[in-house]
Every structure is written in C-alpha cells, then in structure tokens.
C-alpha cells in the first residue's frame, strides 16, 4: 500500500515524499483511513512506530477538506496534548513539516518559558496547538486561547500524562472543549486509569494496536517446538517445571481453550489463571494482579484480552497455539524482550498449524529455529486437519496477513473492541 491509496491530498503527499517515506508504517495504514472516516481511535502505538504522522496527516487532511472559506482568521481547530515539552516540540515539528504545503499555522505551548510570545502567536491566529496541560490551563484561565471551535483532540502518550499527574489538568481542559469533536488517544499501556479516561472521553473508538518497528527483534529469542497437538500440554508442563519458569504468559486462540489449559496446568501443580473476554472485569484484574505479584505462575490469555493489560518485559511468552492472524504473533512476542531485557518466545506447533507458521515467517521475514524436544517427536503418520475456531473466538474473516484491525470493528456504537 502506498500513501496515495490512503486518500491524502497532493500537498500532504508531496510533504511525505520529501521526507523520503516509501510506504506507510503499520500504524499509519491502520489509523489514517479510520481517522479520515471521522472515528475516534484508541491506539496502542509507541514512539518509533510512525504514530505522529499517523495522526498528523489525517488531521491535516480533514482540516483541509473542511476548511471554512468564510473565516478570514485562523482559529484553533486541533489541540494536541503531550506530557512533556520535548514531545510537544517534536510533534509540532512534524505538524509543520507535513503541513508545509498547506496554509495552516501551528504553535507549541508549554511552561518554563515566557508566556507573552505564546500569547502574541495565539492572537495572530493559530489552527493547530500542541501543548502540555499546565501552561495550556494558564492560557485558558487568562482567556488568551479560545478552544471553543476545536474539531480534534489528540492525546499523545496519554499513559505518561496520567503517570505525571496531569489527570485533573486534562479534565479541566476537556471541560472547555466542544462536546462534538473527534478524539484520538495514543497510549503505550492500558491501565485502569486509561480505561476510565477513554470510557468517558472516546465515542465508540476503533482500537488500533501495532507493534514497534522491528519488533521481532534480536533480543527476543524465538523458537518453535514441533509437537503433536495432544502432547502440547505435557510438553508445556515439562518446560515450565524443568526450566523453573516463574512467570509465563501463554497464548491461546480461543476462550474455551484458555479455560481448559489453565485448569489442566493447575492440575499439573502449576498455578495458573485464564484471562479472556468472557471473564468479568474484576476477574481479569484479579488474575492480572495475582500474576504480577507472583501468586500465579502462568497467565493463559487470548490475544485481545492480553491487549488491554499492561504487562510487558516478561521473561517467557509461549504460543500454545499459533495465532491465525500473523500480526498477532508479533504482538504476542513483543510482550517479552523489551528495553534490552532478554526474552524468550516459544511456539508449540502441531502439524495443523504449519500454514500459520509459514505465514508468520513470511511476515517477519525470517525462519524461526525449530527444535524437537526429545521424547516429543511428532508422529509422522498424523495428517494436518483444518483448525476449528470454536469458543466464541471464531474465525471472523480475519485470516491472512492483510486485514486492517480497524476495519473489522463494528461501526454501530459500543467500544469497538473485539472480545475473545
Ligand atoms: P514516531 O513514532 O512518530 O516518533 O516516528 C518515528 C520515526 O519514523 C520518525 O523519525 C519519522 O520521521 C519516521 N517515519 C514516520 N513515518 C514513516 C514512514 N512511513 N516511513 C519511514 N519513516 C517514517
């Protein structure tokens, strides 16, 4: 897919070309069409994914499509909030860069510097404001900024803003914005605080989550253990016990499979909890906190359930079943080996899953090392069978490598989060 297919105007395409970008990054491919369709988004993308262009380009496009010819003066149409001055500067730089062939003006507002030049700039007329919450509130209380015509609110690194104690400032800012607007929220993690904020702030958001670039990176040791389907549990138990693994995240394709495996592991003497879309919020929170606290050794999860939880830097991630959507493999293994920590991602692969494996290897552009554990040699007489997607985690037409997660969301309200 090229930038041209995304429906951006020539001025933006020219700016992108000048940057030397050949094609959109995954977050750009997913986010740009959804934003252009005027949906709110909740995006789990970190720095390095190309997220800034992912929201800046469609924001500029929509501002341009809906420009108000009758208005001579610029007025603030987009507000981008960031936790730090550095990020505010970086984002504003991107806005200027991508918008260089369009007539819109942007400025950056943060504390620790004189307020007067900011007031002067605002008075002259600004279309896009990139701000940290504290100084923005100063402008709001001094009535030196008018945010009553904001069409876009973008919260960048929302989790960091909350960590830094900006929640009340954010609420005060929200109070002066129009109710009717498009809101885009980016966060690397999805804590309960973020969920609370998103519930009140976003309107039927489309969930977008992409891995970091080069996610399937060197520090993650990936390995495939070929094994018969009926012996996977036995093998997993052996690996956990012999390796003395204390914290393992295990992925399943279905909710039913999660429950069953969790029970079986507990029967094998390995403390375990299941987490998936049929579990109540309380049950999920408890499973997760027990896992984090080391009370439970294994957390068995579906892809979607694992998305919303802020666990990473795990030493062991196991694909008890390979995902039918190849990108999910990258998300799953991205739970380990972060920030220079060593991590291990292991996949137990039976003959039925060979096609999934081939698709994954194609996506990550590498062959994953195969190692047959002694005593668990696959029976060559077993023929591959089609994979049934039961337990509510049915194959909803998401097979293959090319689906856009955003486009598979229901369009008719309700948080557009798949529940598996
Ligand atoms: P960000 O995640 O927004 O901080 O962007 C990370 C880096 O990726 C920045 O240096 C961007 O210039 C660069 N970048 C953004 N989009 C693309 C693209 N489509 N192709 C190549 N590089 C990109």
């Amino acid at each position: 897919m090229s930038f041209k297919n995304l429906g951006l105007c020539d001025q933006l395409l020219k700016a992108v070309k000048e940057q030397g970008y050949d094609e959109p990054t995954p977050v750009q491919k997913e986010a740009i069409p959804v934003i252009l369709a005027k949906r709110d988004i909740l995006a789990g993308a970190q720095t390095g994914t190309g997220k800034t262009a992912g929201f800046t380009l469609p924001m500029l496009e929509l501002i341009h499509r809906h420009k108000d010819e009758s208005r001579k003066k610029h007025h603030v149409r987009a507000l981008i909030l960031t936790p730090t001055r550095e990020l505010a500067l970086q984002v504003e730089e991107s806005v200027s860069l991508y918008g260089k062939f369009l007539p819109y003006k942007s400025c950056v507002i943060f504390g620790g510097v004189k307020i007067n030049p900011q007031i002067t700039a605002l008075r002259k007329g600004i279309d896009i404001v990139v701000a940290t919450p504290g100084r923005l509130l100063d402008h709001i209380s001094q009535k030196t900024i008018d945010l009553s015509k904001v069409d876009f609110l973008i919260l960048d690194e929302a989790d960091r803003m909350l960590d830094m104690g900006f929640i009340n400032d954010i609420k005060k800012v929200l109070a002066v914005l129009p109710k009717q607007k498009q809101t885009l929220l980016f966060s690397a993690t999805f804590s309960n605080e973020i969920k609370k904020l998103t519930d009140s702030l976003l309107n039927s958001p489309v969930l977008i989550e992409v891995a970091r670039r080069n996610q399937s990176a060197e520090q993650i040791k990936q390995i495939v253990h070929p094994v018969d389907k009926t012996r996977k549990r036995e093998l997993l138990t052996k690996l956990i016990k012999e390796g003395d693994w204390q914290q393992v995240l295990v992925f399943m394709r279905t909710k039913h499979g999660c429950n069953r495996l969790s029970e079986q592991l507990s029967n094998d003497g390995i403390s375990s909890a299941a987490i998936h879309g049929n579990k109540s919020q309380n049950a999920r929170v408890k499973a997760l906190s027990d896992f984090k606290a080391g009370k439970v050794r294994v957390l068995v999860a579906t892809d979607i359930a694992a998305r919303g939880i802020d666990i990473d830097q795990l030493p062991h991630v196991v694909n008890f079943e390979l995902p039918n959507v190849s990108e999910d493999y990258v998300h799953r293994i991205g739970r380990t080996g972060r920030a220079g920590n060593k991590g291990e991602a292991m996949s137990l692969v039976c003959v039925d899953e060979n096609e999934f494996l081939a698709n994954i290897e194609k996506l990550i552009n590498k062959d994953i090392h195969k190692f047959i554990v002694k005593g668990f040699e696959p029976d060559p007489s077993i023929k591959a069978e089609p994979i049934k997607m039961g337990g509510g985690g049915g194959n909803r037409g998401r097979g293959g490598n090319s689906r856009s997660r955003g486009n598979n969301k229901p369009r008719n309200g309700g948080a557009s989060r798949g529940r598996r």
Side-chain angles (χ1 to χ4, degrees), residues 3 16 19-28 45-55 57 87 90 94 97-98 156-157 213:
F3 278 101
V16 164
Q19 289 306 303
Y21 302 163
D22 295 328
E23 60 166 338
T25 64
V27 71
Q28 291 163 2
Q46 292 112 333
T47 299
T49 53
K51 68 180 164 79
T52 317
F55 63 75
L57 290 169
L87 186 61
Q90 218 173 292
S94 298
L97 204 65
Y98 302 130
D156 198 6
E157 300 198 359
R213 279 154 112 191

Side-chain angles (χ1 to χ4, degrees), residues 286-347:
K286 174 156 189 342
L288 184 62
S289 61
D290 284 352
F291 182 61
K292 281 182 172 174
K295 288 188 202 158
V296 159
R297 223 163 143 184
V298 180
L299 190 64
V300 189
T302 55
D303 291 280
I304 300 279
R307 287 277 151 92
I309 57 184
D310 58 340
I311 34 172
D312 59 15
Q313 299 187 8
L314 287 164
H316 301 283
V317 168
V318 175
N319 297 303
F320 192 87
E321 296 171 330
L322 284 182
N324 55 320
V325 176
S326 303
E327 285 92 338
D328 285 342
Y329 175 84
V330 183
H331 291 298
R332 287 178 177 190
I333 71 163
R335 296 283 179 182
T336 185
R338 289 199 176 165
N341 293 323
K342 265 202 226 133
E344 196 170 42
M346 183 169 295
S347 304

